[in-house]
Amino acid sequence: MPVGKMRHRINIQTISRVADNMGGNAHSFATSITVWGMVETLVGSEKVEGDQIEAKQRYRFTLRYNAILTVDDRLNYDSKNFRIISIQKKYDIDKYQVVIAEEGVAT
């Protein structure tokens, strides 16, 4: 992978859950690490539901391998939040990983 393509700053954010006063859980995300990566736009979609337009856009993030990243985390890039759909090793080695993530959905 040419180093020049890994030029985007991507925040990996982990979720923390705290019990609230009503017996439920409140959650928030905090940046745990910032990494360099490559970002590619994949496919997008729009649909009307409840008289509102719902737009979703999928992206492929290529990152250096990071063992702490899970599908419960989210990515933050260019001030936008992305829900992680899948994480795969690239070339079946622990050097790079490909993350498919979606913008425009609740995290």
Side-chain angles (χ1 to χ4, degrees):
M1 169 93 34
V3 176
K5 290 189 175 192
M6 306 279 280
R7 65 181 176 269
H8 303 283
R9 295 300 281 165
I10 301 162
N11 298 310
I12 298 174
Q13 298 182 332
T14 55
I15 192 169
S16 62
R17 292 179 176 89
V18 178
D20 62 15
N21 294 336
M22 304 300 284
N25 289 320
H27 70 274
S28 63
F29 286 90
T31 299
S32 59
I33 189 169
T34 302
V35 297
W36 292 101
M38 182 171 69
V39 180
E40 301 169 90
T41 304
L42 296 177
V43 65
S45 66
E46 281 187 354
K47 69 178 181 176
V48 177
E49 190 168 311
D51 290 334
Q52 294 183 353
I53 297 176
E54 182 180 300
K56 295 179 184 177
Q57 178 69 49
R58 284 196 178 177
Y59 291 81
R60 177 186 299 127
F61 294 86
T62 303
L63 313 171
R64 291 202 182 274
Y65 181 79
N66 190 324
I68 68 164
L69 184 63
T70 70
V71 293
D72 292 330
D73 300 331
R74 75 177 181 191
L75 301 180
N76 177 275
Y77 164 70
D78 198 24
S79 299
K80 298 175 191 168
N81 295 320
F82 298 86
R83 181 177 63 92
I84 296 174
I85 296 170
S86 70
I87 303 169
Q88 301 170 342
K89 290 181 188 176
K90 189 167 187 164
Y91 312 123
D92 285 332
I93 57 173
D94 289 344
K95 188 169 183 179
Y96 297 103
Q97 59 193 155
V98 175
V99 178
I100 304 299
E102 196 167 56
E103 176 194 15
V105 294
T107 54

